[in-house]
Amino acid sequence: MKYSIGIDFGGTNIAVGLVDENYTVAAKSSLPTGKGQRTTDEMVLDMAVLCRKVCDLAGIDLAEVASIGIATPGTVNSAKGIVIDYPGMGLSNYPMSAKLSDALNGYDSQKIRIANDANAAALGEAMAGAAKGADTALMITLGTGVGGGIILGGKIYDGFNFSAAELGHTVIVKDGHPCACGRKGCFEQYASATALIRMTKEEMQRSPDSAMWQYSPDLAQVNGKTAFESAKLGDEAAKRVVELYIGYLACGVANMMNIFQPEILCIGGGICGQGDNLLKPLSEIVFKEQYAKTAPRKTKLVIATLGNDAGIVGAAAL
Amino acid sequence: MKYSIGIDFGGTNIAVGLVDENYTVAAKSSLPTGKGQRTTDEMVLDMAVLCRKVCDLAGIDLAEVASIGIATPGTVNSAKGIVIDYPGMGLSNYPMSAKLSDALNGYDSQKIRIANDANAAALGEAMAGAAKGADTALMITLGTGVGGGIILGGKIYDGFNFSAAELGHTVIVKDGHPCACGRKGCFEQYASATALIRMTKEEMQRSPDSAMWQYSPDLAQVNGKTAFESAKLGDEAAKRVVELYIGYLACGVANMMNIFQPEILCIGGGICGQGDNLLKPLSEIVFKEQYAKTAPRKTKLVIATLGNDAGIVGAAAL
């Protein structure tokens, strides 16, 4: 059996997995990232500790590991193993591959690859998850923001300057809700979990009798499930929120269909726990709106299956 | 010298060019398409006549022509040489390569390739025009509609079902202006020449003293130049139209930048005759809005240079 290691360098945890050639996670371990409390060099030392630990757990030697991949937020030069820019961590041109190579006592830095985390998650789904086997796959992750990943010919597409696939930062409502990126009306402002929570709160304030108040007795407790779960009970206000949210989501998804017509378009993130309650009405609008209605083959619109492991698996597949 | 033939199968004219290995059009000829007046088979016979004619004009034999490419509207299976769907001409699964091969007395149908016209134009610009040498290039053509073409690795990207790159049919104003595609608020409805003319007429009706009334004494005479030319004279109402139009155009262009971060993003179509009057204010907004502000390399935003020859050159390059 051939093994690779995938490292998910998250804002909260550093999660490391030993992944076999069938993309099964054979061993996994994590440590808190400690963002804001320590240097990135120290975090890389923990990556090294975790790499050794997952090897120990599986009873193999690090020297047997064919490659190591790191999924990190920010802009990344994969070929050079450098994090070009990760403002949240204050990183600029940080030679992460070389640093990890040192921390692992010279494990060949040529065998250590880096990718943006959203891109790595997309690759993970394309290699071993909901988009398995797809030559062209798109992944849209609905989380705090809206992340995007583009897989073409089985490889990450990151553009001329390693910054492509910011699918969440495409305006769908010109002059709409302000986005942290500086634009107004980004897809992210209408389709992220954050946006769903905002829409839920707004509707709750308009609807004091809504069942949503039972699910979340005060506004601070509202989460991505409040509207969906209350809608299942037949609450009209909650149904309005779900319909509004899915309408915006479908708008952005149909945009991506018209641009890419990928073999598989995969939706990820916590909201996907809603399964068919999300996918069915979403598909209905997307396939009604998308341009290639008469095309001989149709994109498959699916929900991601790897969950939190997508980053680890994708990193291991780099 | 090695030659190819490019055929631009337009709605008005069938234009054919003999193109040399430097992508120079050595000879060119055209005939009216006769849309609605005759069969597609008859049009293909004219393509054959024009192929022979451009060879005669250049004094070479058809047998010396290395390949023939056809740029046609609609959805196309390039590999099989079939027009899958071109509703405007009533075509469905039309074997265009085979038909042209027959009309040329058996010129090898394997050497006849087909592509969607917007895609072919993008390839033309990438091979010999404003995007020459770019590994990743995007083309956005501002005409009656908004056409799109995606060139990745020097090749046309047309997705899983040959229908990708409908960049004009991405919603930028949710629930906005109705589009012929069935959606509301498509980029095409705000950035096409048709949209510019609509905005110009609307502003003229609000501004009876505008200089635009001198340029176009009645609304039926309004064209894509009315606002731009009147704005140059300092007319305030015209300036508002230009600003409004460029704002929408920039919105869609910035979206494409955030998705693709291509090496070159090329804007084509008649409105580009405005040159820097269009490109300068457009660039200013796009580079302010796009996500990858700190990326080490910047996309070049340029105006197409091949004009009406883009389709011929792109088809010849297939």
Side-chain angles (χ1 to χ4, degrees), chain B residues 9 58 84 91 111 116-117 124 140 142 174 184 251-252 267 305:
Chain B
F9 184 42
I84 297 171
L91 296 186
K111 291 196 210 160
N116 167 274
D117 53 359
I140 299 174
L142 313 171
K174 187 162 190 301
K184 286 180 180 171
C251 179
I267 313 279
T305 55

Side-chain angles (χ1 to χ4, degrees), chain A residues 85 160 169 171 255 294 297, chain B residues 85 160 171 255 258 294 297:
Chain A
D85 193 42
F160 174 62
H169 297 288
V171 165
N255 281 355
T294 57
R297 302 197 285 189
Chain B
D85 192 44
F160 173 62
V171 166
N255 282 355
N258 285 350
T294 57
R297 303 198 282 190

Side-chain angles (χ1 to χ4, degrees), chain B residues 32-315:
Chain B
T33 308
K35 196 173 169 177
Q37 294 157 31
R38 54 188 192 142
T39 65
T40 310
D41 285 1
E42 289 174 296
M43 297 170 192
V44 171
L45 288 177
D46 273 359
M47 289 181 194
V49 167
L50 290 165
C51 285
R52 295 189 189 285
K53 185 168 171 192
V54 294
C55 286
D56 286 349
L57 286 171
I60 71 154
D61 196 86
L62 182 64
E64 296 172 50
V65 172
S67 66
I68 299 177
I70 309 170
T72 171
T75 306
V76 160
N77 184 331
S78 317
K80 294 189 175 171
I82 290 171
V83 179
I84 297 171
D85 192 44
Y86 173 11
M89 199 72 87
L91 296 186
S92 175
N93 291 314
Y94 183 79
M96 197 172 270
S97 289
K99 294 274 187 181
L100 182 60
S101 170
D102 286 350
L104 288 169
N105 290 332
Y107 181 93
D108 187 358
S109 71
Q110 294 298 314
K111 291 196 210 160
I112 304 178
R113 285 127 199 197
I114 312 186
N116 167 274
D117 53 359
N119 291 344
L123 185 63
E125 292 290 343
M127 290 295 139
K132 192 174 175 178
D135 188 58
T136 56
L138 227 63
M139 181 154 171
I140 299 174
T141 304
L142 313 171
T144 311
V146 169
I150 302 170
I151 305 299
L152 302 179
K155 287 183 181 163
I156 290 171
Y157 173 81
D158 58 7
F160 173 62
N161 55 17
F162 318 110
S163 308
E166 288 294 348
L167 310 184
H169 296 288
T170 53
V171 166
I172 62 166
V173 181
K174 187 162 190 301
D175 300 319
H177 210 270
C179 184
C181 79
R183 304 186 78 189
K184 286 180 180 171
C186 282
F187 184 30
E188 168 161 311
Q189 291 303 317
Y190 296 89
S192 60
T194 314
L196 172 59
I197 290 166
R198 185 188 76 233
M199 291 173 199
T200 305
K201 286 178 179 174
E202 285 169 0
E203 182 62 42
M204 284 170 73
Q205 287 173 296
R206 280 190 296 266
S207 306
D209 301 329
S210 165
M212 293 189 283
W213 287 105
Q214 267 91 63
Y215 191 91
S216 304
D218 72 77
L219 290 179
Q221 290 172 277
V222 170
N223 61 36
K225 292 180 181 174
T226 305
F228 274 99
E229 296 304 323
S230 306
K232 285 177 199 164
L233 305 174
D235 183 67
E236 292 300 326
K239 284 190 205 168
R240 281 195 294 274
V241 175
V242 169
E243 197 183 331
L244 182 71
Y245 172 75
I246 292 179
Y248 282 116
L249 176 59
C251 179
V253 171
N255 282 355
M256 297 310 149
M257 293 274 277
N258 285 350
I259 296 169
F260 288 100
Q261 295 291 340
E263 188 168 346
I264 295 183
L265 197 155
C266 180
I267 313 279
I271 293 169
C272 291
Q274 294 299 332
D276 277 352
N277 281 322
L278 178 78
L279 195 61
K280 271 192 169 180
L282 176 67
S283 298
E284 207 170 289
I285 305 175
V286 167
F287 287 105
K288 198 182 114 199
E289 290 216 351
Q290 70 120 0
Y291 198 80
K293 295 180 186 73
T294 57
R297 303 198 282 190
K298 294 237 175 303
T299 294
K300 275 185 204 148
L301 184 59
V302 298
I303 281 179
T305 55
L306 297 183
N308 290 332
D309 283 351
I312 288 176
V313 174

Side-chain angles (χ1 to χ4, degrees), chain A residues 27-307:
Chain A
K28 195 160 70 168
S29 189
S30 70
L31 283 168
T33 307
K35 198 172 169 179
Q37 293 156 30
R38 55 190 192 142
T39 66
T40 310
D41 284 0
E42 288 173 296
M43 296 170 192
V44 171
L45 289 178
D46 273 358
M47 290 181 193
V49 167
L50 290 165
C51 286
R52 293 189 190 285
K53 186 170 170 190
V54 293
C55 286
D56 287 349
L57 286 170
I60 71 152
D61 196 86
L62 182 64
E64 296 171 50
V65 171
S67 66
I68 299 176
I70 309 170
T72 171
T75 306
V76 160
N77 183 328
S78 317
K80 294 190 175 171
I82 289 170
V83 180
I84 297 170
D85 193 42
Y86 174 11
M89 198 74 87
L91 296 186
S92 175
N93 292 314
Y94 183 80
M96 196 172 271
S97 288
K99 293 274 187 179
L100 181 59
S101 169
D102 286 349
L104 287 168
N105 289 333
Y107 182 93
D108 186 357
S109 71
Q110 294 299 312
K111 292 198 214 158
I112 303 177
R113 285 126 198 199
I114 312 187
N116 168 274
D117 52 0
N119 291 343
L123 185 62
E125 292 291 342
M127 290 296 139
K132 192 174 175 177
D135 188 57
T136 55
L138 227 64
M139 183 157 170
I140 298 174
T141 304
L142 314 171
T144 311
V146 170
I150 303 169
I151 305 300
L152 301 178
K155 287 182 182 167
I156 290 171
Y157 173 81
D158 58 6
F160 174 62
N161 55 19
F162 317 109
S163 308
E166 288 293 349
L167 311 183
H169 297 288
T170 53
V171 165
I172 62 167
V173 180
K174 187 162 189 299
D175 301 321
H177 210 268
C179 185
C181 79
R183 304 186 80 188
K184 284 180 182 172
C186 283
F187 185 29
E188 167 162 312
Q189 293 303 316
Y190 297 89
S192 60
T194 313
L196 173 59
I197 290 167
R198 184 188 76 232
M199 291 172 197
T200 305
K201 287 179 179 173
E202 284 168 2
E203 183 61 44
M204 283 171 73
Q205 286 173 298
R206 280 191 296 266
S207 306
D209 301 328
S210 164
M212 292 189 284
W213 287 105
Q214 266 90 63
Y215 193 91
S216 303
D218 72 77
L219 291 178
Q221 290 172 275
V222 171
N223 62 38
K225 292 180 181 175
T226 305
F228 274 98
E229 295 303 325
S230 307
K232 284 178 201 163
L233 304 174
D235 184 67
E236 291 300 326
K239 284 191 206 168
R240 283 196 293 274
V241 175
V242 168
E243 197 183 329
L244 182 72
Y245 173 75
I246 291 179
Y248 282 116
L249 176 59
C251 179
V253 171
N255 281 355
M256 296 310 148
M257 294 273 278
N258 286 350
I259 296 170
F260 287 100
Q261 297 291 339
E263 188 170 346
I264 295 184
L265 197 155
C266 181
I267 314 279
I271 293 168
C272 291
Q274 294 298 331
D276 277 352
N277 281 321
L278 177 78
L279 195 61
K280 272 192 168 180
L282 176 67
S283 298
E284 209 169 288
I285 307 174
V286 168
F287 286 105
K288 199 182 113 200
E289 291 216 352
Q290 71 120 358
Y291 197 80
K293 293 182 188 71
T294 57
R297 302 197 285 189
K298 295 239 175 303
T299 295
K300 275 186 205 145
L301 184 59
V302 298
I303 281 178
T305 54
L306 297 182

